[in-house]
């Protein structure tokens, strides 16, 4: 099942992946359930807001990023064992219906776990971009990764 383990990851390693199309229906559905602010729900209100148009919640952008990341990890056979948390999220630009999101990631650090000899911890920085190449969000993540054997 797993093909890529802690030992296979190098600091400085980069990768680009994903193509997630943002739809109006999904923006409104997510906002209705989790972030019901009017600029995520009402197109007329959103036109008068600082965003100028209906836009996705930042938390929705995180969810779309997570979907791209998990799909990528599963396709590669990455031995990820979950995350103890993130070091930061920044929402740089609004995400609008019709945008197509993708990701670029770079491994920034790694270390073996002091308490669990069967895994290591990997830190990465991800840039989430729209179809114009504009960074809409950054995320600094920590992931537990299984060691080989």
């Amino acid at each position: 099942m797993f093909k890529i383990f802690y030992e296979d990851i190098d600091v400085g390693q980069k990768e680009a992946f994903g193509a997630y199309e943002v739809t109006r229906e999904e923006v409104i559905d997510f906002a209705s359930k989790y972030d019901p602010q009017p600029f995520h729900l009402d197109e007329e209100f959103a036109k008068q807001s600082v965003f100028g148009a209906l836009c996705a919640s930042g938390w929705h952008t995180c969810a779309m990023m997570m979907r791209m990341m998990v799909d990528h990890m599963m396709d590669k056979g990455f031995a990820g064992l979950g995350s103890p948390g993130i070091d930061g999220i920044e929402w740089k630009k609004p995400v609008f219906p019709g945008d197509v999101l993708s990701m670029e990631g770079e491994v920034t650090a790694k270390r073996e776990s002091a308490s669990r000899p069967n895994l290591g911890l990997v830190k990465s920085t991800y840039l989430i971009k729209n179809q114009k190449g504009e960074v809409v969000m950054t995320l600094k993540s920590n992931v537990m990764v299984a060691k080989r054997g």
Side-chain angles (χ1 to χ4, degrees):
M1 178 174 166
F2 293 140
K3 298 175 192 170
I4 298 174
F5 294 88
Y6 175 79
E7 295 87 349
D8 303 317
I9 299 167
D10 296 317
V11 174
Q13 181 177 326
K14 295 180 181 183
E15 57 186 344
F17 56 93
Y20 193 102
E21 185 171 351
V22 183
T23 67
R24 175 188 176 279
E25 294 74 23
E26 188 177 7
V27 167
I28 292 170
D29 184 55
F30 185 96
S32 296
K33 292 176 183 173
Y34 306 110
D35 191 357
Q37 297 182 74
F39 40 82
H40 300 318
L41 294 168
D42 182 315
E43 290 182 81
E44 290 306 312
F45 184 93
K47 286 179 187 176
Q48 305 307 315
S49 75
V50 297
F51 305 111
L54 188 74
C55 63
S57 163
W59 298 111
H60 184 193
T61 304
C62 289
M64 292 182 279
M65 179 235 40
M66 190 67 194
R67 181 59 197 239
M68 287 187 287
M69 185 175 294
V70 170
D71 286 349
H72 180 69
M73 288 171 29
M74 293 185 76
D75 286 348
K76 287 177 52 175
F78 180 72
L81 301 174
S83 173
I86 60 170
D87 293 334
I89 299 171
E90 293 182 14
W91 293 300
K92 302 289 197 177
K93 286 185 164 285
V95 171
F96 300 106
D99 281 349
V100 178
L101 304 180
S102 61
M103 297 177 61
E104 292 179 9
E106 180 177 0
V107 176
T108 57
K110 66 183 258 190
R111 68 173 177 83
E112 295 185 17
S113 172
S115 60
R116 296 183 179 174
N118 62 325
L119 63 86
L121 296 160
V122 176
K123 289 182 174 278
S124 298
T125 297
Y126 290 95
L127 305 177
I128 295 72
K129 296 182 175 186
N130 63 22
Q131 70 283 356
K132 299 174 195 169
E134 300 169 326
V135 175
V136 299
M137 186 176 97
T138 62
L139 181 124
K140 294 182 178 184
S141 74
N142 300 286
V143 177
M144 297 179 290
V145 183
K147 286 185 176 178
R148 192 170 269 107

